[in-house]
Amino acid sequence: MPRWTRRDLVKAAVATSAAVIGNRTLPAEATPSSSPTHQASQPAAPPTIDNTLRENLLMDFGWRFHLGNACDPVKDFNFGKTAIIGTFAKSGDSGGATGSHFDDSAWSQINLPHDWAVDLPFVLDNTLVWTGGKPLGRAYPETSIGWYRKPFAIPASDLGKRIRIRFDGIRRNAQVFINGQYLGQDPSGYAPYEYDVTDFINYGGDNVLCLRVDATLSEGWFYEGAGIYRHVWLTKTAPVHIASWGNYVQSSLRSGITGPASLRITSEIENATGQPADCTVHASILDPNGEIVATVRSKSATIAAAANSIVEMQATVTHPELWSIETPHLYRLVATVLLNGKPVDQDSTTFGIRTTRFDKDEGFFMNDKPVKIKGTCNHQDHAGVGAALPDRLQYYRVELLKGMGANAYRTSHNAPTPELLDACDRLGMLVMDETREFSSSPQALEELESMVKRDRNHPSIILWSIANEEPQQGTERGARMGRSMMEALNRLDTTRPVTAAMNHSWGKGISGVVDVQGFNYNLPDIDAFHKSFPDQPTVGSETASTVSTRGIYANDPKRGYVAAYDTEKPRWAETAEDWWKFYDQREWLSGGFVWTGFDYRGEPTPYHLPCISSHFGLMDTCGFPKDNYFYYHTWWRTEPALHLFPHWNWSGKEGQLIEVWCYSNQQSVELFLNGKSLGSQTVEKNGHLVWKVNYAPGTIEARASSNGKVTLVEKRETTGPAAKIQLQPDRTKISADGEDVSVINVTITDAQGRIVPLADNKVTFTLTGEGKIIGVGNGDPSSYEADHATARSAFNGLCMCIVQASKTAGPITIQASSSNLESSNVTIESAAATPRPKI
């Protein structure tokens, strides 16, 4: 994160007007000292984006990587070995692999994002299973340290500019060096960090960025990965420039949702010179089609030497297109800094125009319409890649959730990568943005404040969360900590309420501090809280926690599998049906967030070994739906729905009772076995239907009806043996930028093309053309197969591979083959694209 002091943050805090959230009013802050605004009638700066004023360069390519050692300095490239002169005794001479002349030619060549933990072997140790079974920690010094080096050149013409490097996320505790010069240490695995490296650059020559990343200690109780798993950026600006995350747009509608929108624009200007600077900020507002709909400029502001100051402007959008779940319209602010009448810096940010509120009696409203929050909680890892997700996978995951009917996403339990929020903005997904550490320590407040400054322009965010199931949540000490966190947060944003995910002590501790009461589970206590505290809005910050394994219909502790009926849950949890019926019946409950949308590595429940992944997801780690996915699909969407399960391959169980479930939102469903009716049942809202069926090979068929007419039919058939491989890419056209990906889903079918629900054939992938396979998976929570590989066994008929484009356009052909199966291939077109500027 930018190296601000707490005093700097208070000094630079953005002023905001009072906001009513539920029934609570948040205090207004002091007005900035700089002159506020000139309206659009004044001359404005050119609205076009001028890339010569500021360069944002992606630093993801061309890195070298090697494991170090937490205990043995020789195996840690002699870092800290010298006893005569301390590691940090002399500036620019930290030793080990930190210097410019260190020979890293034997190190692995990698690109970012990178998670070295996903490549480590599984260690079947009960001390590791909770975090995914990878050897990270004090007992594993040889695999808990990672070294990264990145060479780059800066031209001599950049002398006089300010050069900054930002890390969006490093897991964890990174010591950062440039050209042998120690820059600092970043303890958080989730917060962004930024360094001004202007003084340390070799202008007109080569430079080396070096990091020693220490993943020995964890922050979570789940798989977190290890390494530089988010983007790294290098930014070049003039000495007088807009500070990092310095643009902030607040919108309000003057007369309901059809009236003009008033925009309050603030830009934080940094003067990195030794003299006062008189500057003006010109702002242009571009609508979702890229057309200019407003321009405005500030009055002249004097920025003191080596100081930051806020410049404020007001603008109006006459006919705003509102951001919503259904129509996620995005505007763009382009702000240009003029010094002595000459443009010197320009930065842009997207934002949305919408209204939100949490009401104590009627729940959540967006644009004055009631919206029930139908959310999921999620960690940040995915099959094949661990925690190092390419940007496209963020969109893929949000698309899958929206397809299910979800409209909200909780970032559990940490600040997310910015690209996830971009995906939620563009696809129409509400967000509860959660900080990692519940604390008012300087470090924790710095992380909270950086999250808020970075994320506050995203229209998708409707809630900030400051805590999750904390031991101090119900204490007076916790309340004091919460107040300090609220004060820090509200200095930077008062347009959204704050919540905390609490699993006990409601009405105590931080309950009296936050704006919206968050409930984790415990349905019987929610009505009592509402009766005692009727004026506080409420939300289900974490709900359900049903456990299931895709395609499994009987508990199997030996293999670590859990039946996929909506019946299995830990002692603290609820079934999908129980929690949703409860929340749906209470208008004052704003809705809730299911634990979880996707399975994730670590935290296996109810079984430990052999499991190395959770069972909580509505989808597995690949994104393949489980049956509970279809419960929500049925009741969270509005179109007619019908889902029948289990499969109908039960050889050896002829004549035995099989429990057959059905989800449908039609009036009734009739079930047939091999053409014979087993009876019709009336559908209960938010419920399910069950038949006990004596197994006989053939076909079970469900026919859903409304108003006396059959509306939907679904079958499950006894299949033949595995015979073919079918490939289904999520996209057949991607960009040749070295980053874009396509997810290839693999189905094992019989000769008639029906999925074989028990198939476990090992599938080998061969790629030709302009791309590479970056990961494989199958969603099996007890699988120890490698993620970075070219083969994967199917799990209950499914597996997948992720293909990434190179920087050269051309076709990418993937062939999938397996012994005794008909192979298949698919071609992805990798088209020429304008890549992001890189260094």
Side-chain angles (χ1 to χ4, degrees), residues 152-169:
F152 62 100
I154 296 292
S157 57
D158 282 342
L159 184 62
K161 296 181 180 180
R162 302 307 297 186
I163 312 292
R164 302 193 306 276
I165 294 176
R166 187 183 77 237
F167 301 93
D168 282 343

Side-chain angles (χ1 to χ4, degrees), residues 416-749:
T417 186
E419 289 71 30
L420 170 64
L421 298 178
D422 291 341
C424 291
D425 284 349
R426 286 165 172 76
L427 297 174
M429 180 71 77
L430 308 175
V431 175
M432 179 198 294
D433 200 354
E434 187 163 278
T435 193
R436 169 74 288 277
E437 185 178 5
F438 174 62
S439 175
S440 55
S441 70
Q443 177 70 35
L445 290 179
E446 193 178 2
E447 292 176 16
L448 174 66
E449 291 162 337
S450 68
M451 180 186 82
V452 174
K453 283 200 75 171
R454 185 195 69 178
D455 297 349
R456 60 190 174 179
N457 285 308
H458 289 280
S460 56
I461 298 174
I462 59 168
L463 275 170
W464 304 113
S465 174
I466 61 170
N468 173 71
E469 299 185 355
E470 292 291 334
Q472 299 297 322
Q473 62 187 312
T475 67
E476 176 53 34
R477 182 192 301 170
R480 293 194 300 269
M481 292 159 56
R483 289 188 195 99
S484 294
M485 296 178 77
M486 290 282 287
E487 290 169 2
L489 193 156
N490 289 332
R491 282 194 294 270
L492 298 172
D493 181 56
T494 58
T495 67
R496 301 168 178 87
V498 179
T499 190
M502 297 179 63
N503 63 335
H504 61 73
S505 301
W506 303 279
K508 302 177 182 178
I510 53 177
S511 279
V513 174
V514 297
D515 306 303
V516 178
Q517 176 62 63
F519 294 104
N520 285 17
Y521 314 108
N522 294 281
L523 296 182
D525 297 309
I526 295 176
D527 283 339
F529 175 88
H530 182 60
K531 184 177 180 179
S532 299
F533 301 91
D535 293 332
Q536 188 161 21
T538 52
V539 68
S541 43
E542 188 172 316
T543 63
S545 273
T546 309
V547 287
S548 65
T549 308
R550 176 180 56 79
I552 298 293
Y553 298 98
N555 291 341
D556 188 345
K558 185 177 180 179
R559 295 194 297 167
Y561 299 152
V562 188
Y565 300 107
D566 185 23
T567 57
E568 307 304 310
K569 61 184 182 65
R571 56 175 175 76
W572 69 84
E574 304 101 22
T575 65
E577 188 170 322
D578 285 346
W579 92 266
W580 179 244
K581 281 183 176 179
F582 184 94
Y583 273 72
D584 194 40
Q585 290 167 358
R586 289 158 175 78
E587 190 177 50
W588 48 269
L589 278 171
S590 300
F593 296 83
V594 177
W595 190 266
T596 54
F598 297 87
D599 276 345
Y600 54 93
R601 301 160 194 262
E603 206 171 11
T605 307
Y607 308 124
H608 286 233
L609 291 174
C611 303
I612 40 79
S613 288
S614 81
H615 295 79
F616 293 111
L618 306 177
M619 291 173 274
D620 65 20
T621 54
C622 296
F624 294 129
K626 303 180 187 179
D627 292 294
N628 265 358
Y629 171 103
F630 294 99
Y631 173 81
Y632 294 102
H633 184 273
T634 297
W635 297 114
W636 282 3
R637 296 177 66 95
T638 57
E639 68 270 19
L642 176 65
H643 176 67
L644 179 67
F645 62 104
H647 59 73
W648 209 238
N649 280 33
W650 299 102
S651 178
K653 293 193 175 184
E654 287 77 7
Q656 297 182 29
L657 284 176
I658 302 294
E659 196 164 287
V660 175
W661 282 40
C662 181
Y663 296 134
S664 181
N665 55 15
Q666 300 300 279
Q667 291 176 350
S668 64
V669 178
E670 187 173 11
L671 186 70
F672 294 81
L673 172 62
N674 294 328
K676 181 180 178 180
S677 176
L678 301 181
S680 178
Q681 297 186 37
T682 300
V683 173
E684 175 191 350
K685 182 183 178 183
N686 294 329
H688 72 281
L689 303 177
V690 181
W691 290 262
K692 298 289 182 68
V693 181
N694 293 107
Y695 175 66
T699 303
I700 52 171
E701 179 180 305
R703 299 176 186 173
S705 299
S706 285
N707 300 318
K709 295 183 179 180
V710 174
T711 54
L712 294 169
V713 176
E714 189 163 274
K715 300 178 180 180
R716 294 289 177 263
E717 297 178 314
T718 307
T719 71
K724 300 179 181 180
I725 300 173
Q726 291 186 359
L727 301 181
Q728 182 60 55
D730 80 299
R731 294 183 304 155
T732 56
K733 293 183 179 179
I734 61 178
S735 298
D737 58 4
E739 300 181 68
D740 204 4
V741 300
S742 179
V743 179
I744 315 295
N745 290 325
V746 181
T747 304
I748 308 298
T749 73

Side-chain angles (χ1 to χ4, degrees), residues 29-176:
E29 299 294 329
T31 303
S33 59
S34 54
S35 301
T37 187
H38 275 189
Q39 291 295 332
S41 58
Q42 301 294 330
T48 56
I49 296 177
D50 186 347
N51 291 323
T52 65
L53 297 179
R54 169 186 288 240
E55 291 185 81
N56 287 308
L57 305 175
L58 186 65
M59 296 188 77
D60 282 4
F61 293 88
W63 288 78
R64 295 277 185 168
F65 171 78
H66 204 289
L67 289 174
N69 194 290
C71 293
D72 187 338
V74 174
K75 296 178 180 178
D76 206 34
F77 306 102
N78 292 316
F79 183 66
K81 182 181 179 181
T82 303
I84 298 174
I85 299 177
T87 302
F88 302 112
K90 298 295 182 180
S91 180
D93 189 19
S94 298
T98 66
S100 300
H101 302 295
F102 178 84
D103 183 5
D104 59 17
S105 60
W107 290 20
S108 299
Q109 299 182 50
I110 61 142
N111 296 326
L112 305 182
H114 179 248
D115 174 5
W116 88 68
V118 77
D119 286 326
L120 299 178
F122 288 102
V123 176
L124 304 186
D125 181 340
N126 278 319
T127 64
L128 295 176
V129 67
W130 210 244
T131 53
K134 297 294 187 174
L136 296 174
R138 297 189 67 182
Y140 302 94
E142 66 279 3
T143 50
S144 295
I145 302 293
W147 284 87
Y148 292 87
R149 286 171 57 86
K150 160 74 175 175
F152 62 100
I154 296 292
S157 57
D158 282 342
L159 184 62
K161 296 181 180 180
R162 302 307 297 186
I163 312 292
R164 302 193 306 276
I165 294 176
R166 187 183 77 237
F167 301 93
D168 282 343
I170 307 168
R171 176 70 183 82
R172 178 189 181 269
N173 200 21
Q175 293 173 297
V176 185

Side-chain angles (χ1 to χ4, degrees), residues 295-513:
T295 57
V296 65
R297 76 168 184 176
S298 72
K299 291 183 177 180
S300 180
T302 300
I303 316 299
N308 290 23
S309 187
I310 299 292
V311 173
E312 182 179 336
M313 296 160 280
Q314 305 285 339
T316 298
V317 176
T318 306
H319 302 290
E321 297 181 69
L322 301 188
W323 189 95
S324 70
I325 297 165
E326 299 78 18
T327 59
H329 297 304
L330 290 173
Y331 286 77
R332 171 176 285 195
L333 162 70
V334 179
T336 305
V337 180
L338 281 80
L339 187 64
N340 299 321
K342 178 183 177 182
V344 294
D345 186 37
Q346 187 179 83
D347 198 13
S348 67
T349 187
T350 57
F351 67 96
I353 300 172
R354 86 292 189 270
T355 67
T356 65
R357 61 185 171 91
F358 284 80
D359 185 87
K360 64 185 179 64
D361 297 315
E362 298 179 277
F364 175 68
F365 284 76
M366 170 162 279
N367 300 328
D368 285 342
K369 295 179 180 179
V371 175
K372 202 74 167 183
I373 293 174
K374 302 169 182 176
T376 63
C377 306
N378 293 286
H379 288 310
Q380 59 179 12
D381 63 295
H382 193 84
V385 293
L389 275 66
D391 294 351
R392 166 58 196 165
L393 274 185
Q394 306 290 354
Y395 287 80
Y396 179 70
R397 287 162 62 92
V398 174
E399 288 167 356
L400 291 175
L401 291 168
K402 286 214 69 171
M404 181 185 70
N407 62 17
Y409 190 113
R410 176 188 175 205
T411 68
S412 316
H413 304 285
N414 50 265
T417 186
E419 289 71 30
L420 170 64
L421 298 178
D422 291 341
C424 291
D425 284 349
R426 286 165 172 76
L427 297 174
M429 180 71 77
L430 308 175
V431 175
M432 179 198 294
D433 200 354
E434 187 163 278
T435 193
R436 169 74 288 277
E437 185 178 5
F438 174 62
S439 175
S440 55
S441 70
Q443 177 70 35
L445 290 179
E446 193 178 2
E447 292 176 16
L448 174 66
E449 291 162 337
S450 68
M451 180 186 82
V452 174
K453 283 200 75 171
R454 185 195 69 178
D455 297 349
R456 60 190 174 179
N457 285 308
H458 289 280
S460 56
I461 298 174
I462 59 168
L463 275 170
W464 304 113
S465 174
I466 61 170
N468 173 71
E469 299 185 355
E470 292 291 334
Q472 299 297 322
Q473 62 187 312
T475 67
E476 176 53 34
R477 182 192 301 170
R480 293 194 300 269
M481 292 159 56
R483 289 188 195 99
S484 294
M485 296 178 77
M486 290 282 287
E487 290 169 2
L489 193 156
N490 289 332
R491 282 194 294 270
L492 298 172
D493 181 56
T494 58
T495 67
R496 301 168 178 87
V498 179
T499 190
M502 297 179 63
N503 63 335
H504 61 73
S505 301
W506 303 279
K508 302 177 182 178
I510 53 177
S511 279
V513 174

Side-chain angles (χ1 to χ4, degrees), residues 198-341:
T198 304
D199 294 345
F200 312 119
I201 291 292
N202 294 323
Y203 295 92
D206 296 328
N207 299 270
V208 175
L209 182 62
C210 177
L211 288 83
R212 182 182 186 266
V213 180
D214 186 346
T216 300
L217 301 180
S218 62
E219 294 179 70
W221 48 99
F222 41 83
Y223 178 86
E224 298 181 280
I228 311 177
Y229 70 98
R230 294 180 181 174
H231 293 309
V232 180
W233 302 89
L234 185 144
T235 302
K236 305 176 185 179
T237 65
V240 177
H241 57 268
I242 298 169
S244 298
W245 314 315
N247 287 327
Y248 179 36
V249 183
Q250 297 167 278
S251 64
S252 59
L253 298 174
R254 295 179 187 170
S255 55
I257 62 173
T258 58
S262 297
L263 304 183
R264 181 173 179 271
I265 304 165
T266 54
S267 292
E268 182 184 347
I269 309 302
E270 180 175 340
N271 176 12
T273 73
Q275 302 294 328
D278 295 327
C279 68
T280 304
V281 178
H282 289 215
S284 297
I285 304 299
L286 282 65
D287 70 10
N289 297 315
E291 301 294 328
I292 300 168
V293 292
T295 57
V296 65
R297 76 168 184 176
S298 72
K299 291 183 177 180
S300 180
T302 300
I303 316 299
N308 290 23
S309 187
I310 299 292
V311 173
E312 182 179 336
M313 296 160 280
Q314 305 285 339
T316 298
V317 176
T318 306
H319 302 290
E321 297 181 69
L322 301 188
W323 189 95
S324 70
I325 297 165
E326 299 78 18
T327 59
H329 297 304
L330 290 173
Y331 286 77
R332 171 176 285 195
L333 162 70
V334 179
T336 305
V337 180
L338 281 80
L339 187 64
N340 299 321

